[in-house]
Amino acid sequence: MRIGTTLLISAFLISILAGGAGAVDTAAQREAGWQRHQQLVSDSPFNGLQWRSIGPTVQGGRVVDVAAVPGQPYSFYVAYATGGVWKTSNDGGSFESLTDKLPTTVIGAIAVDPQQPDTLWVGTGEPNSSRSSYGGMGLFRSTDGGKTFMRSGLPASDRIARIVVDPTNSQRVYVGVQGKLYSDGDEGGIWRTDDGGQHWARVLKSDQPNTGAIELVIDPTNPQVLYAALWERSRSAWNFVESGAGSGIYKSTDGGSTWSRLANGFPQGTGVGRIGLAIARSQPNTIYASLDNQDKLPASEQELGDRPLSARRLKTMTREEFLRQDADEVETFIRNSDLDVDVNAKSLMDMLRNNSLSMDQLRARLRDANAALFDTDIKGLEVYRSDDAGASWHRTHEKPLREVDYTYGYYFGQVRVDPRNPERVYVQGLPLITSNDGGKTWSGLNPSSVHVDYHALWIDPADPQRMIVGNDGGLDISHDGGKHFRTMDAQAVGQFYTIVADLADPYYVYGGLQDNGSWKGVSNVPWDRNIWTGVGGGDGMHVQVDTRDNATLYTGSQFGYYGRRGPNGDRGEVRPHAGLKDTPLRYNWNTPILLSSHNQDIVYFGTNKLFRSMDKGTTWTAISPDLTTSTHRGDVPYATITAISESPRRFGLLWVGTDDGHVDVSDDGGVHWNLVDKSLPGQWVSRVVASAFNDQRAYLTLNGYRNDDMTPWVYRTDDLGKSWTSISAGLPTESVNVIREDTVNPDVLYVGTDRGVYVSLDRGAHWDSLQANLPNVPVHDLAVHPRERELIAATHGRSVWIVDVLPVQELSKVRGETVHLFPVEKVQAEREWRSAPSLWFDESEYLPKVSLPFWAKAAGTATLTVIDKNGNAEQKIEIPAKAGLNSYEWDLQVDRTLALAAEQAGLAKKRKDGASSTKDGAKANDSLADTPVAEAIRLNQRLYLPAGEYTLRLALNGATSEVKWTLDAPEAQKDRAPPKPKVRGKDKWSRPHPEAEPLPGAEDEGGR
C-alpha cells in the first residue's frame, strides 16, 4: 500500500507554478554562490584541518583539451572535464595543478596565445553534453603561465567549447559558447573580444533554440577566415535530442563580423548532430568536418549481427521464424540479453509456442538501456571534406564508419589533420581512427595500453609524429605517429560517483568512477604512492563491502549491472529481473545497491521498485510497488530509484528516493509504504539517509542539476517524514549531491556539493566550510569511518581525499577553552628511522609523521613540549596557531640538546636508583659519550624519540592542554595479529562508533 500520491502530484504542480522547481540559475546567482562559498571558507573555524589525497591516479580521468606552449617543446597544458587545468614543463614527467582555487574546476577549452606564450585562456563548463558534463562560470586568463588568473568575461556562457586567439593580434580572441545543457540559456554562439577580454560581442547566433557553438577554427594563413560549427541539442532527465535544424557549418571572411552558412553537399535538417572541424595547415582550402548524423541508416546498410538471433533481427522476426531457430542459438541469445536468469531456451520457446508470450512482449524485454548505447540504426559518424574553402562538400567514405561513435556521437566530435600532410586525417570516437588517403579508407590507432573514448588530440606542427591524445582514461603521448603511446596519468583526477570503506586495519576505500570501473585503495598511503586495484569494470557505480570479511564485494556499472565477488574468487550476478510477461524494470544510470547493516547477507536494490535479496543477491523479491509516478519516457531511463537507506537502529525501517522527486518510507520491511514528500519541491533525490541516533529522523538532499537549477535543497525530518524542516539556509548556491550524519556526534552533519564540503555542528541550523586545502571540485559522495573517525570525500574530478574529523566531532565540547589538544594516534616505530640522511635521495616522503590536531580560541604562537615518562622535555616546537581548529604535522624528531639532557637525567636517576642497566641497553655507569643519543649525534643520524609513553603539552595564550601519547616499539618480523579497533582518548566522546554514546546534554535519541 502506498499513501499520498494525489497530494504529492498537487504539491509538485503548485511548486512549479510558484517557481519552486525548474528555476534556471543565472550568472548572478552563480556568482553570489561563489562569493558565499569564499565567505564561508574565510570565516571557517576548520581551515586548519588538512585533507590528504590518496588517489587514485592509474585510471586517469576525462581529458577535454590540450594546449602546447609555442617555442617550449616540453611545455603544455591539459584540461580535465572536472579536474581543472594542469601544466607540465618536462614533457609529461610531472604536472602541476593550476586551478584548484578558481570558482570551478569544470573545464571546456583552453588556448595559449601564439604571440605571448605565458598567456593562457581557460574556458569553463564542459561541452561534451553527457550525464556528468557540468556547467562553468565563464572565461579566465593567466598572463604568467598559470600562476595567477583573472576573470575575462562571459560569465553566463555556462559551457565553452573552443577558444581561438588571433595569431597576429593578441587582443582579438574568439570563443565558441555552447550554453546551457538542460535549458535554453540564450548565450550560445561565437563571441569576440578586441580588447583582450574586457568587452565581448556575439558575432554569430542561431535563430534556433538550444543551439550553441561546438567548434571553431581559424585559417593559419589568413586570420580573417574562420569556420564555426553550431549544434542544436536539448537534454532533460529522461531524454536527449542530440541533433536539430540549428546545427550547421558557418564561415566568416572578415574576422567574424559576418557569417554565411555552408551547405552544398553537407547535410542539413533535423538529423544534423555534433560537428567537428579541422583545417589542413599545409593546404588551407582543404577542410574536414566530422558529423554525428542522426538520420536513419538505410535498411540496406544496417548490420543485423553475425548470429542468427540478435535484437535487430528480432525486430521483424515472426514467431514461426523464431521457433525454427536452433536451441543452442536461442540459449546464446538469452545469455547475451538482459533476461531473467530462470529463463532457458526450452522455457522461452514453449512460452512462444503456446502463446503465453508474444513476440511483441519479447521485443519489449530487449529494450535495454545499456544495449541501446551501442545498437543503433542511425548513420552515426560521417566525415566530409571540402577542397574549395567550404564552397562544396563531399562524404569521403562510401561505407558507414561503424563502431566509432555508436549512439553517443555527442560525446566525441573531434577531427584533426596532419599539419604537413592534408591526406592524413584523424577522427576521435570510442576508438581513434585514421586515414592516409583523405578519408576514403580508415584504420584504428588503439594500443591496448590507451583508454578508449577520445576527446582531445594535439599534433606537433614541428614534428607530426609527436601526438598527444586525451581520453576518458587520461593523457597519452606518442613520438611515432600513434604506433606506441606513453601514458602520462600521474594526476589524481578520477571522477568518482560513490565511496565506501571497509573495517580492515588499515582500512581500504572503494568507489566507482565515470567510465573507469570500480577501484580499491588503502587509506593511509599518499596519492603519489598509493597503488589502487581495479575491482569492477564499465562506468563504476556503487560498491558495497561485506565488513564481516572485508573481502566480499558488490560492484556495479551503468544501468544496474552488478555482480558479487567473494574472497575465494566465486562470482555471481546481482540484478533483479522482471518476468518475461511483466513490464520491464527501469534501472537508473547510477542504480543504488545497499547491504543491510543488520545482516550483510541481505541486499537491497533499486529499480523503479525496491527489491530485497536474503541470499547475497542470488534471488530477489520486490518489496515495494512502483515508487515513481512520472510518465516521461525517452532515451534516458527515468522514473527510477536513486537513493536507498535502512535505519542502522531498526531492521526493516527503509527510506527510498527517486529521480522524479518522490520520498517513501516503510517501517515494516516493505509491507507498507508511505509517500512523505508532499511539502517538498519535487526534485531529483540525490540522497536520503536514515539517522543512526533516532528512529524517526532522516536527512534528505535534492538536486536540480538536470533543470539547470543550482539551488541547495537539504532537509531533515524528525517524525518519519510527516514533516520536513529545510536545513539549507546559509549554504551557497551549489547543487547538493550527498549528506552524511556523523557516526559519533548526532549533531554533526556533512554535505557534499558541486564545489566542495560543508559541515554543521547543530543538525543543519548553521553551516561552515570544511574546504581547507580541498580543491573547489564537485563532491559526489562522503563516508565517515566509524573507527578511524575520518571523513572520506569522493570527488568527481580530483579522486579521493580524507580528513581527520575527530576535532569536528568534539569541537562543541572544547570551544570555550583557550587551547585544547585532541587525542593523538599512537605510532608504530620502525627500525629504519634512525639512520643518516641520504647524500643522494630525498627521503622526506618516507619519514614518519603524526598529526596533532588542536583548538585555539584565538590566534597566537603555541609551544609544543614533548615530555618523557621521567618528566624531561625531549622536544620544544613553536607552532603558529590560527583561531579555530589547527593541525600540526610533527616528524617525531627530538631536539638534540634536550634529548641529551633528558638521557643524562635518566642515567643519573638510574644510578641513584641503583639500576644496573637501562631498557635501551645503556649501562648505569656508562659515560654520556657512550649513550644512544650521543652516538646518533656523532653519526649524524636522525634522532627520534625512543619507544615509550609521553605527554604532549601545548601552551598558548597563557593556557595549556595535555594528552598522553604512545610510541610503540618496532614490530617484530612476523605476521601481524588481527586488527584491533583504535581508541583515540578515554572519555565516551573519544570512543569509536559503534560504542559511541550521545553527547552530554543531547536529547533522548529514542529506543529501538
Side-chain angles (χ1 to χ4, degrees):
M1 178 184 298
R2 188 164 184 258
I3 304 168
T5 302
T6 303
L7 289 174
L8 184 281
I9 294 173
S10 299
F12 183 48
L13 290 174
I14 291 171
S15 70
I16 292 176
L17 293 173
V24 177
D25 71 300
T26 65
Q29 288 172 324
R30 287 200 175 188
E31 179 61 26
W34 166 238
Q35 296 299 329
R36 176 60 179 161
H37 172 88
Q38 288 184 295
Q39 179 188 352
L40 287 173
V41 170
S42 175
D43 296 345
S44 176
F46 304 108
N47 287 334
L49 298 180
Q50 293 294 292
W51 295 81
R52 67 182 189 271
S53 171
I54 64 166
T57 64
V58 63
Q59 82 302 317
R62 185 161 72 250
V63 171
V64 293
D65 207 358
V66 175
V69 181
Q72 301 178 31
Y74 298 125
S75 297
F76 56 87
Y77 301 91
V78 55
Y80 292 89
T82 50
V85 179
W86 296 64
K87 181 180 182 180
T88 179
S89 299
N90 53 20
D91 203 32
S94 62
F95 286 84
E96 175 190 5
S97 178
L98 306 178
T99 53
D100 287 1
K101 296 306 177 184
L102 287 188
T104 178
T105 56
V106 180
I107 311 299
I110 55 176
V112 176
D113 188 333
Q115 291 189 314
Q116 300 178 3
D118 283 339
T119 296
L120 171 70
W121 291 84
V122 174
T124 62
E126 186 192 2
N128 282 327
S129 298
S130 71
R131 292 170 179 83
S132 58
S133 297
Y134 295 91
M137 293 185 65
L139 276 170
F140 296 83
R141 180 167 58 100
S142 172
T143 57
D144 53 14
K147 295 183 178 68
T148 61
F149 285 89
M150 64 193 79
R151 297 285 187 95
S152 293
L154 303 180
S157 56
D158 201 72
R159 285 166 168 81
I160 291 176
R162 192 67 70 206
I163 304 171
V164 172
V165 184
D166 187 322
T168 63
N169 179 6
S170 297
Q171 294 298 299
R172 173 167 283 194
V173 182
Y174 304 88
V175 172
V177 170
Q178 185 161 33
K180 292 184 179 296
L181 177 57
Y182 289 93
S183 58
D184 185 10
D186 195 35
E187 295 291 328
I190 303 297
W191 293 73
R192 184 183 71 192
T193 179
D194 290 308
D195 55 13
Q198 296 182 52
H199 303 89
W200 292 88
R202 182 157 47 174
V203 293
L204 175 62
K205 178 184 185 297
S206 173
D207 57 3
Q208 296 291 321
N210 304 306
T211 301
I214 188 61
E215 185 61 281
L216 178 65
V217 293
I218 191 168
D219 188 327
T221 62
N222 183 0
Q224 293 296 106
V225 176
L226 298 103
Y227 300 87
L230 299 188
W231 180 24
E232 179 180 344
R233 91 280 189 256
S234 60
R235 187 158 200 147
S236 66
W238 53 85
N239 196 48
F240 187 25
V241 180
E242 51 264 68
S243 64
S247 303
I249 303 175
Y250 292 78
K251 179 180 181 179
S252 174
T253 58
D254 55 8
S257 296
T258 61
W259 297 81
S260 58
R261 182 161 181 161
L262 305 180
N264 196 13
F266 191 83
Q268 310 290 306
T270 57
V272 179
R274 180 170 178 169
I275 299 168
L277 296 172
I279 298 176
R281 177 185 291 263
S282 60
Q283 189 172 291
N285 281 346
T286 296
I287 308 152
Y288 288 92
S290 62
L291 170 64
D292 178 33
N293 195 330
Q294 294 292 306
D295 286 337
K296 291 294 182 181
L297 192 67
S300 61
E301 297 183 7
Q302 293 183 18
E303 285 193 342
L304 299 178
D306 57 359
R307 304 197 73 91
L309 280 178
S310 66
R312 286 192 185 142
R313 292 183 189 276
L314 215 68
K315 288 181 179 180
T316 58
M317 188 174 288
T318 65
R319 181 171 67 95
E320 290 73 21
E321 289 173 326
F322 189 96
L323 292 174
R324 287 198 293 267
Q325 302 300 316
D326 181 80
D328 289 341
E329 283 295 334
V330 175
E331 193 69 37
T332 299
F333 169 75
I334 291 171
R335 297 308 151 218
N336 290 338
S337 305
D338 187 34
L339 299 180
D340 196 318
V341 293
D342 293 333
V343 176
N344 57 34
K346 182 180 184 305
S347 63
L348 177 59
M349 297 178 84
D350 285 346
M351 283 187 283
L352 288 169
R353 191 174 288 113
N354 62 28
N355 291 317
S356 62
L357 178 72
S358 71
M359 289 298 293
D360 285 341
Q361 287 175 311
L362 178 57
R363 281 187 276 264
R365 292 294 290 110
L366 298 177
R367 293 174 192 147
D368 170 67
N370 194 64
L373 291 173
F374 305 99
D375 295 336
T376 173
D377 294 330
I378 62 172
K379 291 182 178 179
L381 174 65
E382 294 182 324
V383 178
Y384 288 82
R385 173 173 175 163
S386 172
D387 289 302
D388 51 14
S392 63
W393 299 81
H394 69 277
R395 196 173 84 163
T396 65
H397 48 98
E398 293 183 4
K399 296 182 179 180
L401 296 174
R402 305 183 191 279
E403 300 180 7
V404 181
D405 284 358
Y406 294 95
T407 64
Y408 47 104
Y410 61 83
Y411 194 52
F412 309 117
Q414 306 278 337
V415 60
R416 296 289 182 268
V417 189
D418 188 301
R420 296 181 182 176
N421 180 1
E423 303 304 311
R424 185 162 179 81
V425 194
Y426 303 86
V427 172
Q428 300 168 76
L430 183 141
L432 175 65
I433 64 173
T434 184
S435 171
N436 289 318
D437 55 13
K440 296 176 184 177
T441 60
W442 296 84
S443 59
L445 282 177
N446 299 281
S448 60
S449 60
V450 180
H451 200 288
V452 296
D453 291 347
Y454 291 82
H455 306 289
L457 170 59
W458 175 79
I459 306 172
D460 190 340
D463 176 15
Q465 292 292 295
R466 182 170 177 253
M467 303 162 53
I468 301 174
V469 295
N471 47 57
D472 274 9
L475 199 66
D476 302 271
I477 188 169
S478 173
H479 291 275
D480 57 9
K483 295 177 183 177
H484 305 88
F485 281 91
R486 168 172 60 88
T487 184
M488 295 182 285
D489 299 333
Q491 298 74 257
V493 289
Q495 294 180 302
F496 274 81
Y497 283 117
T498 60
I499 207 76
V500 295
D502 64 19
L503 294 178
D505 186 10
Y507 70 88
Y508 281 79
V509 174
Y510 306 76
L513 296 96
Q514 163 64 29
D515 203 30
N516 278 283
S518 300
W519 292 77
K520 165 188 175 181
V522 70
S523 60
N524 64 345
V525 176
W527 68 272
D528 54 346
R529 290 189 284 124
N530 203 338
I531 301 175
W532 286 63
T533 304
V535 295
D539 288 89
M541 299 300 166
H542 286 265
V543 179
Q544 291 288 281
V545 186
D546 189 331
T547 54
R548 295 172 299 187
D549 60 15
N550 296 315
T552 300
L553 298 180
Y554 297 76
T555 64
S557 57
Q558 64 271 25
F559 303 122
Y561 283 92
Y562 280 84
R564 180 191 66 251
R565 182 169 67 181
N568 299 320
D570 55 305
R571 295 171 180 263
E573 183 187 66
V574 177
R575 180 176 171 89
H577 298 81
L580 279 177
K581 293 182 284 186
D582 297 334
T583 302
L585 299 172
R586 296 185 296 277
Y587 305 84
N588 192 269
W589 171 256
N590 191 358
T591 295
I593 185 174
L594 178 69
L595 298 189
S596 173
S597 60
H598 303 280
N599 179 349
Q600 292 179 81
D601 287 346
I602 300 174
V603 190
Y604 298 100
F605 192 107
T607 63
N608 50 307
K609 302 176 181 180
L610 183 65
F611 283 81
R612 181 176 63 205
S613 171
M614 307 296 285
D615 53 11
K616 299 184 178 182
T618 304
T619 60
W620 295 94
T621 301
I623 59 171
S624 83
D626 189 334
L627 296 177
T628 68
T629 60
S630 174
T631 57
H632 288 300
R633 299 292 180 267
D635 55 13
V636 180
Y638 186 66
T640 64
I641 291 173
T642 54
I644 308 168
S645 184
E646 181 184 40
S647 169
R649 297 173 60 83
R650 213 173 87 202
F651 175 73
L653 176 51
L654 300 168
W655 292 85
V656 169
T658 69
D659 51 15
D660 61 349
H662 293 306
V663 182
D664 284 87
V665 62
S666 172
D667 62 0
D668 54 13
V671 178
H672 301 89
W673 289 90
N674 289 323
L675 185 65
V676 294
D677 51 22
K678 65 180 180 180
S679 62
L680 299 173
Q683 293 281 351
W684 184 295
V685 176
S686 55
R687 287 296 188 285
V688 60
V689 176
S691 173
F693 297 94
N694 186 325
D695 296 358
Q696 302 286 303
R697 181 177 299 149
Y699 297 94
L700 176 72
T701 59
L702 308 177
N703 189 302
Y705 157 71
R706 293 159 190 85
N707 292 317
D708 278 329
D709 187 343
M710 304 299 117
T711 303
W713 283 295
V714 188
Y715 296 90
R716 185 187 73 236
T717 180
D718 294 299
D719 54 13
L720 281 182
K722 295 183 180 67
S723 62
W724 293 91
T725 300
S726 173
I727 56 172
S728 58
L731 286 172
T733 304
E734 299 167 9
S735 294
V736 180
N737 301 309
V738 59
I739 187 168
R740 293 294 176 204
E741 182 184 57
D742 190 70
T743 56
V744 173
N745 186 334
D747 291 333
V748 173
L749 303 173
Y750 311 94
V751 297
T753 74
D754 277 351
R755 189 176 278 131
V757 180
Y758 302 88
V759 61
S760 173
L761 303 184
D762 50 17
R763 294 186 197 161
H766 304 87
W767 293 94
D768 290 297
S769 169
L770 198 56
Q771 202 77 7
N773 62 318
L774 186 71
N776 292 324
V777 64
V779 174
H780 276 211
D781 202 5
L782 296 168
V784 184
H785 198 277
R787 184 189 68 226
E788 300 301 328
R789 302 176 71 170
E790 293 182 324
L791 179 67
I792 312 162
T795 77
H796 197 77
R798 291 297 302 274
S799 293
V800 177
W801 295 67
I802 298 176
V803 66
D804 181 7
V805 290
L806 181 146
V808 178
Q809 295 168 338
E810 303 194 1
L811 182 58
S812 57
K813 171 186 174 184
V814 304
R815 284 188 107 154
E817 299 180 23
T818 300
V819 63
H820 182 87
L821 182 60
F822 293 99
V824 178
E825 285 201 63
K826 68 178 182 179
V827 174
Q828 181 91 49
E830 296 182 14
R831 301 181 190 281
E832 294 80 12
W833 286 358
R834 186 171 290 187
S835 61
S838 171
L839 295 174
W840 315 115
F841 295 95
D842 179 7
E843 301 170 295
S844 58
E845 62 180 297
Y846 302 103
L847 298 179
K849 298 179 182 69
V850 63
S851 179
L852 278 62
F854 65 94
W855 160 260
K857 192 172 184 179
T861 300
T863 301
L864 173 70
T865 305
V866 181
I867 303 169
D868 66 17
K869 62 182 180 181
N870 296 317
N872 301 307
E874 297 268 4
Q875 177 64 286
K876 283 190 176 182
I877 305 171
E878 289 193 345
I879 302 170
K882 301 177 182 178
L885 287 175
N886 294 261
S887 183
Y888 177 72
E889 196 171 73
W890 175 41
D891 63 6
L892 273 64
Q893 296 194 50
V894 298
D895 181 279
R896 293 168 181 260
T897 301
L898 292 176
L900 275 171
E903 190 171 54
Q904 186 176 28
L907 288 173
K909 184 176 185 300
K910 288 183 180 294
R911 291 190 182 103
K912 182 178 179 181
D913 294 341
S916 61
S917 65
T918 65
K919 186 177 181 181
D920 60 16
K923 298 292 177 56
N925 58 358
D926 280 348
S927 68
L928 187 61
D930 297 325
T931 63
V933 172
E935 182 181 12
I937 294 173
R938 185 170 62 253
L939 296 176
N940 194 32
Q941 293 178 337
R942 298 183 184 91
L943 195 56
Y944 292 97
L945 290 172
E949 303 290 331
Y950 294 90
T951 297
L952 305 180
R953 178 182 299 156
L954 191 67
L956 175 66
N957 296 333
T960 60
S961 177
E962 293 183 355
V963 295
K964 298 297 183 181
W965 176 70
T966 301
L967 178 63
D968 282 345
E971 192 173 49
Q973 299 300 314
K974 60 182 180 180
D975 292 337
R976 299 183 66 183
K980 298 179 181 179
K982 296 181 181 179
V983 177
R984 296 173 62 182
K986 295 182 178 179
D987 63 54
K988 64 184 178 182
W989 279 44
S990 298
R991 277 185 283 173
H993 188 70
E995 299 174 312
E997 299 175 15
L999 302 183
E1003 67 181 66
D1004 180 4
E1005 292 299 310
R1008 291 187 178 273

